[in-house]
Amino acid sequence: MTVAGFLQQIIEGLTAGAIYAGLALALVLIYRFTGIVNFAQGELAMFSAYLAWQFVESGWPFWLALPATLAVSFVGGMLIERVIIRPVEGAPELTLVIVTVGLFFFVNAAAGWIWSYQVKSFPNPFPEGAFRAGGVTAGYGSLGVLGVVAAVMGLLYLLFRYTKIGLAMRAVACNPQSARLVGIRVGTVLALGWGLAALVGAVSGVLSAPLLFLEPNMMGGVLIYAFAAATLGGFDSPGGAVAGGLIVGVAETLTGAYLDVIGTELKIGVPLVIILGVLLVRPQGLFGHAVVERV
């Protein structure tokens, strides 16, 4: 094991972790606003990637197709909250789980019906080539993925910290009843939360497509890693989701590279071990807060 080789694995792990972090962030956003764990989040991201591919295939430049995809994903997320989620609002948790699992299969089947299950190549939005220093290579694609996720996190921070809409969303996430009493339209804010989560998930889907190839089942593995990231960082902490994604990505890459007994075939078990370990030791995650109930 050389230092350069180790650092190379770290860079590759951070690149994968940034993709996991994007989807984990979408999971956390929905959970904070509604208390729902959205098992269909990966499929919604996949569908958004197909939309971007369709725009590009129609002759649109990628950097014009991307904002169009994000806009459609945002509106689609709001519609899902209004049409599918709101009718079962307040239902038992098992009902909500079944609804999101049903949405998972519906979106997957819809993508296969519209675009077929044939694997498609997705254009890489970042230039070819790499930055090299000290025997370590960082592809421009890897640096681009990290930069995009950092930009998304920064924009979300500005939204929640300095805008009225962001402050209203934070108020609803903390206490919907109190927010309603001070005049905040909670229903609208919840729809915005779903739209925002769909937008963030779309970023993850578009970043994943050039690396995984585009097909309806491409986000299944990413969703598992995203759940591990959200569990590790804390389901109530957007920053924790990003940190958890990076940690999971690095852990998965290093484990696959240096533990021969695991290798590339069994490294999918790494996030499952992380989920189990966190739930046993610190259920609220590294950056989450324990729920305290008064009796």
Side-chain angles (χ1 to χ4, degrees):
M1 180 194 305
T2 64
V3 174
F6 179 78
L7 292 176
Q8 188 68 53
Q9 294 296 327
I10 293 291
I11 292 174
E12 294 179 6
L14 290 175
T15 303
I19 295 174
Y20 306 153
L23 194 58
L25 186 56
L27 289 170
V28 167
L29 288 174
I30 287 183
Y31 183 80
R32 285 200 64 184
F33 290 124
T34 63
I36 297 174
V37 177
N38 184 15
F39 289 91
Q41 194 67 61
E43 301 310 284
L44 296 177
M46 172 273 296
F47 201 90
S48 296
Y50 266 109
L51 289 177
W53 176 84
Q54 189 66 67
F55 284 133
V56 172
E57 286 293 301
S58 300
W60 293 32
F62 176 85
W63 295 109
L64 179 60
L66 179 60
T69 300
L70 298 182
V72 174
S73 299
F74 181 81
V75 174
M78 293 183 65
L79 289 175
I80 288 173
E81 193 279 334
R82 286 294 179 106
V83 176
I84 299 176
I85 301 301
R86 187 163 299 185
V88 294
E89 184 179 0
E93 292 183 1
L94 181 58
T95 300
L96 298 173
V97 168
I98 292 173
V99 169
T100 61
V101 171
L103 182 61
F104 173 102
F105 288 110
F106 174 79
V107 174
N108 183 277
W113 177 63
I114 296 171
W115 291 287
S116 83
Y117 287 90
Q118 182 179 356
V119 175
K120 297 175 174 60
S121 61
F122 193 92
N124 194 326
F126 304 108
E128 297 182 359
F131 174 80
R132 295 177 175 84
V136 179
T137 301
Y140 294 137
S142 299
L143 296 177
V145 169
L146 291 169
V148 168
V149 173
V152 169
M153 191 64 197
L155 290 174
L156 287 177
Y157 173 79
L158 294 176
L159 172 68
F160 291 133
R161 182 68 176 82
Y162 296 108
T163 68
K164 290 184 178 180
I165 294 177
L167 293 175
M169 296 175 81
R170 288 172 60 189
V172 171
C174 291
N175 194 317
Q177 291 77 19
S178 297
R180 185 176 285 108
L181 290 175
V182 298
I184 297 175
R185 299 178 64 180
V186 174
T188 300
V189 171
L190 291 178
L192 288 173
W194 271 80
L196 185 61
L199 185 153
V200 173
V203 173
S204 177
V206 171
L207 292 177
S208 301
L211 303 176
L212 303 176
F213 294 104
L214 188 60
E215 56 97 13
N217 298 309
M218 73 173 192
M219 295 299 288
V222 178
L223 182 63
I224 295 175
Y225 288 111
F227 269 118
T231 304
L232 177 62
F235 261 94
D236 62 346
S237 173
V242 174
L246 298 177
I247 294 172
V248 169
V250 171
E252 171 223 0
T253 302
L254 292 180
T255 302
Y258 295 114
L259 293 182
D260 294 335
V261 68
I262 293 180
T264 57
E265 292 79 10
L266 295 178
K267 66 180 183 179
I268 188 67
V270 173
L272 301 179
V273 173
I274 291 175
I275 291 173
L276 179 61
V278 173
L279 291 177
L280 290 175
V281 178
R282 187 177 170 84
Q284 69 269 30
L286 297 178
F287 303 95
H289 301 89
V291 177
V292 178
E293 296 183 357
R294 294 183 178 180
V295 295

